[in-house]
Amino acid sequence: LTVRNSRRVIACTPCRGQPWFGSTFGDGFECVGQGPGDLGDRMRRCFDEAFSRGARRVVVIGSDLPTLSRERIEEALGALDGHDLVLGPALDGGYYLIGLRRPAPELFSDVDWSTERVLGQTVEQARRSGLSLKRLAGECDVDDASSLRALARGLEGASERIAPHTRAFLKKLDGRLRTKEMA
C-alpha cells in the first residue's frame, strides 16, 4: 500500500520482530520498535517521532484491517488539511486509524485501551483539548475469531485485488482447519 509523498513506518513489538517485518514487507518500509508501555504510550511515541522528524501530518493505522484502502488513508491525510484530528471508527468502539497535524499527547492518556470505550474517550479528550475532529466511515477490524470469519465472508464477493495476501492466508488457514476436522 503506497500513499503518495509518504514515509512508511512499521512500528512493531517486540523489537526482535523487526527483521521479520523488514524482510516480509521489503523496501519502502522503515521498521522501528514500539518501545514499552500500553497502546497509548506506543502510539504517542510514533506521533512524537514523526513530528520530531518534520512531518506535518501523521496517520497511524492498525495492522488488523487488511481491507483498508489507499483511498481511505489519503482521505485521512486530506482531512488533516482542515482538521486537527481524524479518526476512523472501528465498529467495536475503538478506532482503526488516527491522524494528527500536530502533537496531542493528551489523546493517549486516560483511555481504557482494548475496550468499546476507546473511541468515545478519545473524542472526549479531543473536545476538552479544543481539537477539531473529522470522522471517517466506520470499518470492522479483526480482533477475534468472529471478526476473522466476518472478514472471510466479506472477501468472498469482493474484488480479487482487495487484500490478496489476506485471502491467501485465509485459504491456507481454511485448508488447515478442514484437515483438522477430518482427522
Side-chain angles (χ1 to χ4, degrees), residues 61-74:
I61 61 173
S63 61
D64 58 354
L65 195 78
T67 58
L68 185 63
S69 69
R70 173 184 303 112
E71 291 78 21
R72 183 60 49 88
I73 297 169
E74 288 176 346

Side-chain angles (χ1 to χ4, degrees), residues 115-147:
T115 71
E116 70 282 352
R117 295 182 298 280
V118 171
L119 180 66
Q121 290 172 335
T122 303
V123 169
E124 179 58 24
Q125 291 279 39
R127 187 194 62 74
R128 282 197 297 258
S129 298
L131 299 174
S132 60
L133 167 65
K134 167 71 175 173
R135 287 188 199 219
L136 303 176
E139 298 274 353
C140 185
D141 57 2
V142 180
D143 293 323
D144 53 26
S146 169
S147 55

Side-chain angles (χ1 to χ4, degrees), residues 8-81:
R8 298 181 305 165
V9 176
I10 295 175
C12 58
T13 195
C15 292
R16 67 181 175 271
Q18 287 177 265
W20 180 86
F21 281 104
S23 65
T24 301
F25 292 98
D27 293 336
F29 284 94
E30 177 183 346
C31 293
V32 299
Q34 290 182 358
D38 65 18
L39 180 58
D41 294 331
R42 296 188 317 257
M43 285 195 297
R44 186 190 69 249
R45 203 172 295 114
C46 286
F47 281 102
D48 289 348
E49 170 67 16
F51 285 123
S52 74
R53 292 180 103 181
R56 294 175 308 160
R57 300 174 299 170
V58 179
V59 171
V60 171
I61 61 173
S63 61
D64 58 354
L65 195 78
T67 58
L68 185 63
S69 69
R70 173 184 303 112
E71 291 78 21
R72 183 60 49 88
I73 297 169
E74 288 176 346
E75 177 186 3
L77 287 165
L80 291 172
D81 289 337

Side-chain angles (χ1 to χ4, degrees), residues 79-99:
L80 291 172
D81 289 337
H83 297 84
D84 300 312
L85 167 67
V86 61
L87 289 170
L91 301 182
D92 62 6
Y95 52 81
Y96 62 87
L97 177 151
I98 181 170

